[in-house]
Amino acid sequence: MTSEREAMVAFLRARHAEGLRMANDIAGFLTDAGAEGRMRLTPAQADTQARHGVHAAETRARFFEETVIPHLGADGPTGQIAELQLHILVDEHRGTPGHDERWRLYPLP
């Protein structure tokens, strides 16, 4: 794996870990006693939202680890698709500290 790919992978893994921490923090807030009054949610709604947020964060990380990482650097269309997915996933975090504009596939308009 090239050093640029390694940097992008490390960057995304850090973003995914941060996203999961945030989802768990939000879940804790939503399910905290009294939160339903502040958020105008029933306990069941708060629990559902909490579970969905954590699940979404876990799924993003799993998608990356299971469908992108194993194919980076592979020959042919599979490797090309994984490379494109890597750049697209990194681009989602444009403006985040640690993001490098050189990782962009396409110039800004």
Side-chain angles (χ1 to χ4, degrees):
M1 191 177 306
T2 67
S3 61
E4 181 177 87
R5 273 194 207 130
E6 288 174 0
M8 292 166 61
V9 166
F11 174 79
L12 282 174
R13 284 180 170 152
R15 297 294 64 76
H16 291 151
E18 179 183 344
L20 185 55
R21 278 191 306 276
M22 288 176 54
N24 280 306
D25 288 348
I26 291 167
F29 175 78
L30 286 172
T31 57
D32 183 28
E36 64 271 2
R38 292 189 304 266
M39 300 295 292
R40 297 195 172 134
L41 297 171
T42 67
Q45 289 171 321
D47 183 62
T48 298
Q49 282 193 356
R51 283 186 290 108
H52 285 297
V54 171
H55 175 72
E58 290 171 340
T59 300
R60 277 190 293 280
R62 185 174 174 199
F63 169 81
F64 179 62
E65 294 294 336
E66 293 180 10
T67 69
V68 177
I69 295 293
H71 304 290
L72 286 172
D75 291 331
T78 302
Q80 292 170 347
I81 291 168
E83 186 75 24
L84 178 60
Q85 287 174 320
L86 176 65
H87 283 272
I88 290 169
L89 291 169
V90 164
D91 196 51
E92 175 184 13
H93 300 281
R94 192 179 334 142
T96 300
H99 182 273
D100 189 331
E101 284 297 316
R102 292 175 293 178
W103 295 340
R104 291 183 53 79
L105 284 178
Y106 309 106
L108 291 171

